[in-house]
mmCIF file of all heavy atoms in Angstrom:
data_model
loop_
_atom_site.group_PDB
_atom_site.id
_atom_site.type_symbol
_atom_site.label_atom_id
_atom_site.label_comp_id
_atom_site.label_asym_id
_atom_site.label_seq_id
_atom_site.Cartn_x
_atom_site.Cartn_y
_atom_site.Cartn_z
ATOM 1 N N VAL A 1 102.257 101.256 125.121
ATOM 2 C CA VAL A 1 101.487 101.070 123.885
ATOM 3 C C VAL A 1 100.903 102.409 123.476
ATOM 4 O O VAL A 1 100.189 103.075 124.271
ATOM 5 C CB VAL A 1 100.373 100.045 124.100
ATOM 6 C CG1 VAL A 1 99.492 99.959 122.814
ATOM 7 C CG2 VAL A 1 100.937 98.693 124.387
ATOM 8 N N CYS A 2 101.235 102.843 122.289
ATOM 9 C CA CYS A 2 100.801 104.165 121.757
ATOM 10 C C CYS A 2 99.819 103.929 120.635
ATOM 11 O O CYS A 2 100.228 103.498 119.525
ATOM 12 C CB CYS A 2 101.991 104.967 121.256
ATOM 13 S SG CYS A 2 103.343 105.042 122.480
ATOM 14 N N SER A 3 98.527 104.116 120.878
ATOM 15 C CA SER A 3 97.525 103.785 119.903
ATOM 16 C C SER A 3 96.578 104.929 119.680
ATOM 17 O O SER A 3 96.374 105.763 120.576
ATOM 18 C CB SER A 3 96.730 102.538 120.366
ATOM 19 O OG SER A 3 95.834 102.122 119.386
ATOM 20 N N GLY A 4 95.991 104.996 118.525
ATOM 21 C CA GLY A 4 95.036 106.060 118.216
ATOM 22 C C GLY A 4 94.771 106.171 116.736
ATOM 23 O O GLY A 4 95.024 105.248 115.971
ATOM 24 N N GLN A 5 94.301 107.350 116.339
ATOM 25 C CA GLN A 5 93.984 107.594 114.953
ATOM 26 C C GLN A 5 95.080 108.452 114.284
ATOM 27 O O GLN A 5 96.258 108.260 114.606
ATOM 28 C CB GLN A 5 92.619 108.262 114.837
ATOM 29 C CG GLN A 5 91.456 107.393 115.350
ATOM 30 C CD GLN A 5 90.120 108.069 115.142
ATOM 31 O OE1 GLN A 5 89.943 109.252 115.247
ATOM 32 N NE2 GLN A 5 89.070 107.225 114.861
ATOM 33 N N SER A 6 94.699 109.327 113.427
ATOM 34 C CA SER A 6 95.734 110.031 112.636
ATOM 35 C C SER A 6 96.645 110.909 113.485
ATOM 36 O O SER A 6 97.802 111.082 113.143
ATOM 37 C CB SER A 6 95.027 110.891 111.567
ATOM 38 O OG SER A 6 94.048 111.751 112.145
ATOM 39 N N ASN A 7 96.155 111.477 114.564
ATOM 40 C CA ASN A 7 97.001 112.355 115.399
ATOM 41 C C ASN A 7 98.135 111.554 116.012
ATOM 42 O O ASN A 7 99.249 112.047 116.138
ATOM 43 C CB ASN A 7 96.200 113.010 116.533
ATOM 44 C CG ASN A 7 95.300 114.106 115.995
ATOM 45 O OD1 ASN A 7 95.469 114.552 114.860
ATOM 46 N ND2 ASN A 7 94.335 114.516 116.782
ATOM 47 N N MET A 8 97.856 110.273 116.386
ATOM 48 C CA MET A 8 98.952 109.438 116.922
ATOM 49 C C MET A 8 99.794 108.872 115.818
ATOM 50 O O MET A 8 101.015 108.672 115.988
ATOM 51 C CB MET A 8 98.302 108.297 117.766
ATOM 52 C CG MET A 8 99.399 107.373 118.394
ATOM 53 S SD MET A 8 100.458 108.189 119.582
ATOM 54 C CE MET A 8 99.362 108.297 120.997
ATOM 55 N N GLU A 9 99.221 108.661 114.683
ATOM 56 C CA GLU A 9 99.897 108.054 113.532
ATOM 57 C C GLU A 9 100.889 109.061 112.908
ATOM 58 O O GLU A 9 101.905 108.644 112.274
ATOM 59 C CB GLU A 9 98.859 107.615 112.542
ATOM 60 C CG GLU A 9 99.390 106.800 111.389
ATOM 61 C CD GLU A 9 98.239 106.425 110.425
ATOM 62 O OE1 GLU A 9 97.415 107.321 110.033
ATOM 63 O OE2 GLU A 9 98.127 105.255 110.102
ATOM 64 N N TRP A 10 100.589 110.342 112.988
ATOM 65 C CA TRP A 10 101.396 111.378 112.251
ATOM 66 C C TRP A 10 102.888 111.247 112.579
ATOM 67 O O TRP A 10 103.298 111.278 113.679
ATOM 68 C CB TRP A 10 100.878 112.773 112.712
ATOM 69 C CG TRP A 10 101.328 113.866 111.849
ATOM 70 C CD1 TRP A 10 102.396 114.722 112.042
ATOM 71 C CD2 TRP A 10 100.805 114.284 110.594
ATOM 72 N NE1 TRP A 10 102.521 115.621 111.066
ATOM 73 C CE2 TRP A 10 101.540 115.369 110.116
ATOM 74 C CE3 TRP A 10 99.683 113.856 109.867
ATOM 75 C CZ2 TRP A 10 101.232 116.054 108.966
ATOM 76 C CZ3 TRP A 10 99.387 114.503 108.675
ATOM 77 C CH2 TRP A 10 100.138 115.584 108.259
ATOM 78 N N PRO A 11 103.721 111.118 111.538
ATOM 79 C CA PRO A 11 105.136 110.810 111.743
ATOM 80 C C PRO A 11 105.947 112.018 112.113
ATOM 81 O O PRO A 11 105.614 113.167 111.801
ATOM 82 C CB PRO A 11 105.550 110.223 110.410
ATOM 83 C CG PRO A 11 104.659 110.904 109.434
ATOM 84 C CD PRO A 11 103.354 111.061 110.120
ATOM 85 N N LEU A 12 107.058 111.782 112.774
ATOM 86 C CA LEU A 12 107.951 112.828 113.233
ATOM 87 C C LEU A 12 108.475 113.609 112.025
ATOM 88 O O LEU A 12 108.663 114.846 112.146
ATOM 89 C CB LEU A 12 109.112 112.228 114.001
ATOM 90 C CG LEU A 12 110.145 113.221 114.562
ATOM 91 C CD1 LEU A 12 109.495 114.142 115.592
ATOM 92 C CD2 LEU A 12 111.333 112.464 115.198
ATOM 93 N N GLN A 13 108.682 113.022 110.897
ATOM 94 C CA GLN A 13 109.229 113.723 109.727
ATOM 95 C C GLN A 13 108.268 114.763 109.142
ATOM 96 O O GLN A 13 108.644 115.507 108.284
ATOM 97 C CB GLN A 13 109.636 112.720 108.653
ATOM 98 C CG GLN A 13 108.501 111.892 108.116
ATOM 99 C CD GLN A 13 108.960 110.693 107.312
ATOM 100 O OE1 GLN A 13 110.191 110.368 107.346
ATOM 101 N NE2 GLN A 13 108.071 109.989 106.645
ATOM 102 N N LYS A 14 107.023 114.770 109.600
ATOM 103 C CA LYS A 14 106.060 115.784 109.167
ATOM 104 C C LYS A 14 105.691 116.736 110.282
ATOM 105 O O LYS A 14 104.780 117.550 110.099
ATOM 106 C CB LYS A 14 104.774 115.092 108.638
ATOM 107 C CG LYS A 14 105.008 114.297 107.324
ATOM 108 C CD LYS A 14 103.699 113.755 106.812
ATOM 109 C CE LYS A 14 103.916 112.989 105.522
ATOM 110 N NZ LYS A 14 102.669 112.454 104.954
ATOM 111 N N ALA A 15 106.351 116.684 111.410
ATOM 112 C CA ALA A 15 106.045 117.553 112.571
ATOM 113 C C ALA A 15 106.692 118.911 112.341
ATOM 114 O O ALA A 15 107.498 119.105 111.449
ATOM 115 C CB ALA A 15 106.529 116.925 113.836
ATOM 116 N N LEU A 16 106.294 119.902 113.193
ATOM 117 C CA LEU A 16 106.946 121.183 113.167
ATOM 118 C C LEU A 16 108.427 121.068 113.494
ATOM 119 O O LEU A 16 108.809 120.225 114.293
ATOM 120 C CB LEU A 16 106.255 122.146 114.147
ATOM 121 C CG LEU A 16 104.796 122.495 113.862
ATOM 122 C CD1 LEU A 16 104.240 123.325 114.975
ATOM 123 C CD2 LEU A 16 104.690 123.246 112.535
ATOM 124 N N GLU A 17 109.236 121.910 112.880
ATOM 125 C CA GLU A 17 110.683 121.874 113.118
ATOM 126 C C GLU A 17 111.201 120.443 112.822
ATOM 127 O O GLU A 17 112.148 119.995 113.514
ATOM 128 C CB GLU A 17 111.064 122.322 114.527
ATOM 129 C CG GLU A 17 110.435 123.605 114.982
ATOM 130 C CD GLU A 17 110.939 124.790 114.124
ATOM 131 O OE1 GLU A 17 112.021 124.713 113.507
ATOM 132 O OE2 GLU A 17 110.243 125.843 114.069
ATOM 133 N N ARG A 18 110.629 119.755 111.854
ATOM 134 C CA ARG A 18 110.956 118.387 111.666
ATOM 135 C C ARG A 18 112.411 118.052 111.330
ATOM 136 O O ARG A 18 112.927 117.042 111.782
ATOM 137 C CB ARG A 18 110.037 117.810 110.558
ATOM 138 C CG ARG A 18 110.005 118.576 109.284
ATOM 139 C CD ARG A 18 108.962 118.059 108.368
ATOM 140 N NE ARG A 18 108.743 118.871 107.184
ATOM 141 C CZ ARG A 18 107.873 119.893 107.135
ATOM 142 N NH1 ARG A 18 107.177 120.191 108.180
ATOM 143 N NH2 ARG A 18 107.719 120.574 106.037
ATOM 144 N N ALA A 19 113.058 118.907 110.554
ATOM 145 C CA ALA A 19 114.424 118.644 110.155
ATOM 146 C C ALA A 19 115.322 118.526 111.399
ATOM 147 O O ALA A 19 116.075 117.543 111.563
ATOM 148 C CB ALA A 19 114.933 119.732 109.234
ATOM 149 N N ASP A 20 115.255 119.524 112.280
ATOM 150 C CA ASP A 20 116.049 119.476 113.483
ATOM 151 C C ASP A 20 115.671 118.317 114.381
ATOM 152 O O ASP A 20 116.529 117.649 114.965
ATOM 153 C CB ASP A 20 115.930 120.786 114.243
ATOM 154 C CG ASP A 20 116.593 121.936 113.520
ATOM 155 O OD1 ASP A 20 117.473 121.686 112.670
ATOM 156 O OD2 ASP A 20 116.245 123.107 113.806
ATOM 157 N N GLU A 21 114.358 118.089 114.564
ATOM 158 C CA GLU A 21 113.903 117.027 115.454
ATOM 159 C C GLU A 21 114.354 115.646 114.970
ATOM 160 O O GLU A 21 114.793 114.841 115.768
ATOM 161 C CB GLU A 21 112.375 117.067 115.581
ATOM 162 C CG GLU A 21 111.852 118.291 116.289
ATOM 163 C CD GLU A 21 112.163 118.291 117.797
ATOM 164 O OE1 GLU A 21 112.784 117.313 118.298
ATOM 165 O OE2 GLU A 21 111.790 119.281 118.444
ATOM 166 N N VAL A 22 114.245 115.407 113.705
ATOM 167 C CA VAL A 22 114.671 114.099 113.190
ATOM 168 C C VAL A 22 116.182 113.925 113.325
ATOM 169 O O VAL A 22 116.648 112.886 113.710
ATOM 170 C CB VAL A 22 114.230 113.956 111.689
ATOM 171 C CG1 VAL A 22 114.866 112.699 111.102
ATOM 172 C CG2 VAL A 22 112.704 113.874 111.624
ATOM 173 N N ASN A 23 116.937 114.979 112.998
ATOM 174 C CA ASN A 23 118.358 114.855 113.047
ATOM 175 C C ASN A 23 118.889 114.649 114.498
ATOM 176 O O ASN A 23 119.955 114.068 114.725
ATOM 177 C CB ASN A 23 119.016 116.115 112.466
ATOM 178 C CG ASN A 23 118.858 116.227 110.972
ATOM 179 O OD1 ASN A 23 118.711 115.172 110.302
ATOM 180 N ND2 ASN A 23 118.886 117.438 110.423
ATOM 181 N N LEU A 24 118.107 115.145 115.469
ATOM 182 C CA LEU A 24 118.518 115.025 116.873
ATOM 183 C C LEU A 24 117.953 113.790 117.584
ATOM 184 O O LEU A 24 118.182 113.550 118.748
ATOM 185 C CB LEU A 24 118.113 116.286 117.613
ATOM 186 C CG LEU A 24 118.798 117.560 117.209
ATOM 187 C CD1 LEU A 24 118.141 118.766 117.949
ATOM 188 C CD2 LEU A 24 120.274 117.507 117.511
ATOM 189 N N ALA A 25 117.196 113.004 116.825
ATOM 190 C CA ALA A 25 116.493 111.835 117.448
ATOM 191 C C ALA A 25 117.457 110.664 117.565
ATOM 192 O O ALA A 25 117.247 109.581 116.981
ATOM 193 C CB ALA A 25 115.299 111.439 116.614
ATOM 194 N N ASP A 26 118.455 110.845 118.394
ATOM 195 C CA ASP A 26 119.514 109.792 118.568
ATOM 196 C C ASP A 26 119.536 109.388 120.067
ATOM 197 O O ASP A 26 120.228 109.980 120.841
ATOM 198 C CB ASP A 26 120.852 110.301 118.130
ATOM 199 C CG ASP A 26 121.930 109.218 118.117
ATOM 200 O OD1 ASP A 26 121.558 108.048 118.268
ATOM 201 O OD2 ASP A 26 123.124 109.547 117.944
ATOM 202 N N TYR A 27 118.671 108.400 120.375
ATOM 203 C CA TYR A 27 118.563 107.919 121.772
ATOM 204 C C TYR A 27 118.636 106.393 121.786
ATOM 205 O O TYR A 27 117.596 105.739 121.591
ATOM 206 C CB TYR A 27 117.212 108.408 122.370
ATOM 207 C CG TYR A 27 117.097 109.898 122.560
ATOM 208 C CD1 TYR A 27 116.603 110.699 121.522
ATOM 209 C CD2 TYR A 27 117.559 110.535 123.737
ATOM 210 C CE1 TYR A 27 116.501 112.086 121.675
ATOM 211 C CE2 TYR A 27 117.442 111.896 123.872
ATOM 212 C CZ TYR A 27 116.970 112.674 122.829
ATOM 213 O OH TYR A 27 116.869 114.020 122.969
ATOM 214 N N PRO A 28 119.828 105.844 121.952
ATOM 215 C CA PRO A 28 120.028 104.400 121.865
ATOM 216 C C PRO A 28 119.091 103.606 122.829
ATOM 217 O O PRO A 28 118.805 102.443 122.503
ATOM 218 C CB PRO A 28 121.509 104.207 122.225
ATOM 219 C CG PRO A 28 122.118 105.546 121.909
ATOM 220 C CD PRO A 28 121.092 106.585 122.243
ATOM 221 N N ASN A 29 118.737 104.195 123.940
ATOM 222 C CA ASN A 29 117.924 103.433 124.904
ATOM 223 C C ASN A 29 116.430 103.763 124.810
ATOM 224 O O ASN A 29 115.638 103.423 125.691
ATOM 225 C CB ASN A 29 118.406 103.644 126.321
ATOM 226 C CG ASN A 29 119.710 102.860 126.562
ATOM 227 O OD1 ASN A 29 119.933 101.865 125.915
ATOM 228 N ND2 ASN A 29 120.508 103.346 127.509
ATOM 229 N N ILE A 30 116.004 104.444 123.732
ATOM 230 C CA ILE A 30 114.603 104.487 123.390
ATOM 231 C C ILE A 30 114.465 103.506 122.198
ATOM 232 O O ILE A 30 115.174 103.618 121.219
ATOM 233 C CB ILE A 30 114.132 105.895 122.960
ATOM 234 C CG1 ILE A 30 114.258 106.883 124.132
ATOM 235 C CG2 ILE A 30 112.694 105.850 122.471
ATOM 236 C CD1 ILE A 30 113.868 108.292 123.761
ATOM 237 N N ARG A 31 113.508 102.573 122.302
ATOM 238 C CA ARG A 31 113.339 101.583 121.289
ATOM 239 C C ARG A 31 111.943 101.670 120.690
ATOM 240 O O ARG A 31 110.950 101.923 121.369
ATOM 241 C CB ARG A 31 113.541 100.142 121.885
ATOM 242 C CG ARG A 31 114.879 100.032 122.700
ATOM 243 C CD ARG A 31 116.072 100.235 121.814
ATOM 244 N NE ARG A 31 117.350 100.293 122.544
ATOM 245 C CZ ARG A 31 118.077 99.235 122.928
ATOM 246 N NH1 ARG A 31 117.631 97.995 122.673
ATOM 247 N NH2 ARG A 31 119.233 99.390 123.562
ATOM 248 N N LEU A 32 111.863 101.460 119.358
ATOM 249 C CA LEU A 32 110.661 101.742 118.595
ATOM 250 C C LEU A 32 110.152 100.422 117.969
ATOM 251 O O LEU A 32 110.940 99.694 117.393
ATOM 252 C CB LEU A 32 110.921 102.772 117.513
ATOM 253 C CG LEU A 32 111.642 104.015 117.943
ATOM 254 C CD1 LEU A 32 111.925 104.893 116.725
ATOM 255 C CD2 LEU A 32 110.883 104.775 119.018
ATOM 256 N N PHE A 33 108.834 100.232 118.052
ATOM 257 C CA PHE A 33 108.225 99.027 117.476
ATOM 258 C C PHE A 33 106.896 99.457 116.850
ATOM 259 O O PHE A 33 106.006 99.974 117.499
ATOM 260 C CB PHE A 33 107.917 97.984 118.575
ATOM 261 C CG PHE A 33 107.493 96.673 118.085
ATOM 262 C CD1 PHE A 33 108.382 95.637 117.795
ATOM 263 C CD2 PHE A 33 106.153 96.404 117.926
ATOM 264 C CE1 PHE A 33 107.964 94.415 117.346
ATOM 265 C CE2 PHE A 33 105.674 95.159 117.491
ATOM 266 C CZ PHE A 33 106.598 94.159 117.189
ATOM 267 N N THR A 34 106.801 99.315 115.503
ATOM 268 C CA THR A 34 105.595 99.735 114.790
ATOM 269 C C THR A 34 104.823 98.502 114.323
ATOM 270 O O THR A 34 105.376 97.686 113.613
ATOM 271 C CB THR A 34 105.967 100.589 113.588
ATOM 272 O OG1 THR A 34 106.636 101.767 114.000
ATOM 273 C CG2 THR A 34 104.688 100.992 112.813
ATOM 274 N N VAL A 35 103.568 98.419 114.740
ATOM 275 C CA VAL A 35 102.721 97.286 114.344
ATOM 276 C C VAL A 35 102.197 97.573 112.936
ATOM 277 O O VAL A 35 101.588 98.606 112.701
ATOM 278 C CB VAL A 35 101.551 97.113 115.329
ATOM 279 C CG1 VAL A 35 100.646 95.973 114.854
ATOM 280 C CG2 VAL A 35 102.062 96.835 116.735
ATOM 281 N N PRO A 36 102.435 96.628 111.994
ATOM 282 C CA PRO A 36 101.933 96.862 110.630
ATOM 283 C C PRO A 36 100.399 96.988 110.628
ATOM 284 O O PRO A 36 99.700 96.343 111.377
ATOM 285 C CB PRO A 36 102.378 95.609 109.888
ATOM 286 C CG PRO A 36 103.491 95.060 110.695
ATOM 287 C CD PRO A 36 103.187 95.384 112.101
ATOM 288 N N ARG A 37 99.881 97.783 109.703
ATOM 289 C CA ARG A 37 98.437 98.010 109.575
ATOM 290 C C ARG A 37 97.878 96.902 108.684
ATOM 291 O O ARG A 37 97.943 96.969 107.433
ATOM 292 C CB ARG A 37 98.171 99.396 109.006
ATOM 293 C CG ARG A 37 98.712 100.515 109.846
ATOM 294 C CD ARG A 37 98.145 101.845 109.450
ATOM 295 N NE ARG A 37 98.157 102.023 107.992
ATOM 296 C CZ ARG A 37 97.606 103.104 107.393
ATOM 297 N NH1 ARG A 37 97.056 104.052 108.085
ATOM 298 N NH2 ARG A 37 97.682 103.229 106.055
ATOM 299 N N THR A 38 97.314 95.902 109.336
ATOM 300 C CA THR A 38 96.716 94.782 108.605
ATOM 301 C C THR A 38 95.327 94.502 109.199
ATOM 302 O O THR A 38 95.209 94.307 110.393
ATOM 303 C CB THR A 38 97.606 93.486 108.762
ATOM 304 O OG1 THR A 38 98.912 93.804 108.291
ATOM 305 C CG2 THR A 38 97.026 92.375 107.941
#
């Protein structure tokens, strides 16, 4: 469970070297689940 404020919320597409990092984020056995903010 990954929880926190803005530092944890900050998306990969806005990180440093984001273009390369996003393009290389191909890991079939890492699974992502985002809880909606309600």
Side-chain angles (χ1 to χ4, degrees):
V1 175
C2 310
S3 184
Q5 296 184 326
S6 53
N7 287 344
M8 181 63 76
E9 187 181 51
W10 194 262
L12 182 63
Q13 62 194 10
K14 292 185 178 181
L16 294 175
E17 309 296 338
R18 50 188 171 272
D20 290 339
E21 292 291 357
V22 171
N23 291 334
L24 294 173
D26 188 10
Y27 294 90
N29 285 335
I30 297 179
R31 309 296 172 85
L32 313 176
F33 188 91
T34 299
V35 178
R37 301 195 313 176
T38 304

